[in-house]
C-alpha cells in the first residue's frame, strides 16, 4: 500500500525582525525581509508516505498530534503536496503524520516547522523510493515558503535571514550564523495554548489595509541591519531593543488593519510590563518579542536562563515555559510513525 516513506524533524523559529504582509499571495513573496533564530526545543516530526492509488483532493491523509485534520490545515497541506507532485511528475496520494513538541498554532510557529518537515520528508520519501532527481534543499525551501513564509527560515539552523526578493528564486533564506555562534536563549512563556482565531496566513493579507504598514516596511531595512550586526557581535542589548521595537510595530500594524487583529491578551501586556521592569529596575538583561499570538518569547543570555525561567514559571498567567537555544537544520530520522 505504501510505496515509500521518510521522516524528518524540523525546528520552529522565532523572528527578531518579523515578516508581516505579502506582496504576491500566490508566490507568497513577503512585503519585507525578516531575521530569525531556529529553536532547539520546538520542533515538528513528520512522516510522509506516498501511497498507491489515484489522486483526488480528499485522498491525502493528514494527522497532527493524533487528530485527523480537515479544513484549512488539510487544504494547505494538499496544496503543498500538489506542488511537490507537479514538480516530480507523480500522481500518488500521501499519508502524513506530524507531532509537535509544543502547542500548535499558538504563535510558536508550528506552521514553519510543520511545513518544513513535511516538504523535506515528502521529497526524501521519493529519494528512498529510488528517485534521484528530488529538489535540493534550496528548492524545497521555496516550495515550503509558498505554504508558510516563515517555513523557509526553518531550513537552516542557527540565525537565519530571509531576503524578501522579487520573485520565486530570489525570495530565499540564508544562514547569518550557525547554532554554535551564540548561545542566545528564547524562553517561551505560554499564556494561552489554544489555537488562535485568525491564522497568520490570513493575517498577512490584511497588513496592506493598515495605514502604518508602509512606514513599517520602510523601517524594516534598518531593523535588519541592526539585528544582523547585533547577532554577529553577540550584542543582546542591541538585538533585544530592536526585537521589541519591531514586534511592537508589527502589532501596531495588526491592530490598525481592517478588520483589526488583536493577538495580545491581558496576560501578554502585563508580562511585557514586568519584563521591562525586571530589566530597567533590577538590571536583569531580558527582552521580549511576540508573534501572531499571545505568547511571549523572552530573550536572554545563557547565564540568565535559570533565573528567567524561574521567574516566568512563577508568573501567575504563565501556563508553561519552553526553553530554547539556537536549533539545528532539519534532520532525517530512521524511525517512522507508521
Ligand atoms: O509564516 P507565517 O505565514 O506563519 O507567518 C509568520 C508571521 C510571524 O510569525 C508573525 C512573523 C515571522 O516572521 O515569523
Amino acid at each position: 500500500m505504501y510505496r515509500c516513506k521518510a521522516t524528518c524533524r524540523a525546528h520552529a523559529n522565532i523572528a527578531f525582525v518579523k515578516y508581516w504582509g505579502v506582496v504576491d499571495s500566490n508566490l507568497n513573496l513577503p512585503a519585507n525581509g525578516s531575521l530569525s533564530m531556529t529553536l532547539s526545543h520546538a520542533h515538528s516530526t513528520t512522516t510522509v508516505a506516498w501511497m498507491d492509488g489515484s489522486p483526488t483532493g480528499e485522498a491525502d491523509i493528514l494527522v497532527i498530534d493524533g487528530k485527523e485534520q480537515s479544513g484549512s490545515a488539510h487544504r494547505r497541506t494538499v496544496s503543498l503536496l500538489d506542488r511537490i507532485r507537479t514538480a516530480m511528475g507523480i500522481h500518488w496520494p500521501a499519508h502524513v503524520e506530524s507531532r509537535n513538541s509544543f502547542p500548535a498554532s499558538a504563535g510558536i510557529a508550528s506552521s514553519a516547522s510543520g511545513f518544513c518537515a513535511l516538504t523535506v520528508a515528502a521529497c526524501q520519501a521519493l529519494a528512498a523510493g529510488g528517485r534521484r532527481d528530488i529538489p535540493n534543499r534550496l528548492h524545497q525551501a521555496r516550495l515550503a515558503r509558498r505554504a508558510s513564509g516563515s517555513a523557509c527560515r526553518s531550513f537552516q539552523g542557527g540565525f537565519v535571514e530571509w531576503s524578501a526578493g522579487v520573485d520565486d528564486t530570489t525570495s530565499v533564506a540564508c544562514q547569518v550564523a550557525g547554532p554554535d555562534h551564540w548561545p542566545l536563549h528564547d524562553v517561551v512563556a505560554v499564556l494561552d495554548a489554544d489555537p488562535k482565531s485568525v491564522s497568520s496566513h490570513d493575517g498577512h493579507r490584511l497588513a496592506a489595509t493598515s495605514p502604518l504598514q508602509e512606514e513599517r516596511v520602510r523601517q524594516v531595512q534598518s531593523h535588519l541591519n541592526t539585528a544582523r550586526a547585533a547577532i554577529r557581535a553577540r550584542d543582546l542589548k542591541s538585538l533585544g531593543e530592536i526585537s521589541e521595537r519591531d514586534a511592537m510595530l508589527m502589532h501596531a500594524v495588526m491592530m490598525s488593519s481592517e478588520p483589526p487583529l488583536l493577538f495580545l491578551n491581558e496576560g501578554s501586556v502585563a508580562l511585557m510590563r514586568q519584563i521591562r521592569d525586571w530589566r530597567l529596575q533590577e538590571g536583569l538583561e531580558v527582552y521580549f518579542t511576540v508573534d501572531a499570538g499571545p505568547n511571549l518569547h523572552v530573550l536572554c543570555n545563557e547565564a540568565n536562563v535559570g533565573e528567567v525561567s524561574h521567574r516566568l514559571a512563577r508568573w501567575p498567567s504563565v501556563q508553561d515555559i519552553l526553553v530554547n537555544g539556537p536549533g539545528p537544520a532539519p534532520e532525517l530520522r530512521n524511525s517512522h510513525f507508521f
Side-chain angles (χ1 to χ4, degrees), residues 172-227:
V172 290
C174 293
Q175 192 180 62
V176 170
D180 298 333
H181 168 70
W182 181 20
L184 177 69
H185 275 72
D186 168 18
V187 184
V188 187
V190 179
L191 296 157
D192 182 353
D194 290 340
K196 56 203 182 200
S197 52
V198 179
S199 71
S200 38
H201 185 257
D202 294 336
H204 288 295
R205 277 129 193 94
L206 295 178
T209 65
S210 163
L212 305 179
Q213 171 70 350
E214 209 178 307
E215 180 56 19
R216 174 170 188 270
V217 169
R218 202 181 63 75
Q219 290 195 15
V220 160
Q221 196 50 48
S222 89
H223 293 189
L224 285 169
N225 294 341
T226 304

Side-chain angles (χ1 to χ4, degrees), residues 87-146:
M88 298 304 295
I90 56 169
H91 302 283
W92 310 323
H95 178 175
V96 178
E97 182 152 353
S98 189
R99 294 183 197 165
N100 295 304
S101 68
F102 58 96
S105 309
I108 317 175
S110 60
S111 61
S113 52
F115 285 118
C116 176
L118 170 70
T119 310
V120 176
C123 293
Q124 186 58 33
L126 292 171
R131 290 287 297 250
R132 291 168 185 270
D133 55 346
I134 63 163
N136 62 23
R137 284 285 167 99
L138 194 66
H139 185 184
Q140 290 178 23
R142 294 196 334 249
L143 291 165
R145 188 199 71 230
R146 292 177 64 178

Side-chain angles (χ1 to χ4, degrees), residues 13-22 28 32-36 76 107-112 115 145 147-153 162 196 199-205 216 246 250-251 254 263 290-293:
N13 62 75
I14 180 65
F16 308 119
V17 179
K18 313 282 189 193
Y19 143 52
W20 195 247
V22 281
N28 221 16
N32 60 272
S34 53
L35 209 169
S36 60
R76 289 172 70 188
I108 317 175
S110 60
S111 61
F115 285 118
R145 188 199 71 230
S148 160
S150 55
C152 73
R153 298 189 309 240
W162 171 21
K196 56 203 182 200
S199 71
S200 38
H201 185 257
D202 294 336
H204 288 295
R205 277 129 193 94
R216 174 170 188 270
D246 189 79
M250 178 184 74
H251 280 271
M254 291 163 161
F263 289 108
V290 54
D291 276 347

Side-chain angles (χ1 to χ4, degrees), residues 319-333:
Q319 297 172 2
D320 199 3
I321 60 164
L322 305 162
V323 181
N324 294 280
E331 296 156 340
L332 295 170
R333 319 281 290 178

Side-chain angles (χ1 to χ4, degrees), residues 10 38 64 195 199 209 317:
T38 304
I64 300 179
S199 71
T209 65
S317 45

Side-chain angles (χ1 to χ4, degrees), residues 155-175:
F155 278 74
Q156 314 272 341
F159 301 85
V160 183
E161 181 168 354
W162 171 21
S163 305
V166 291
D167 57 21
D168 189 41
T169 46
T170 52
S171 190
V172 290
C174 293
Q175 192 180 62

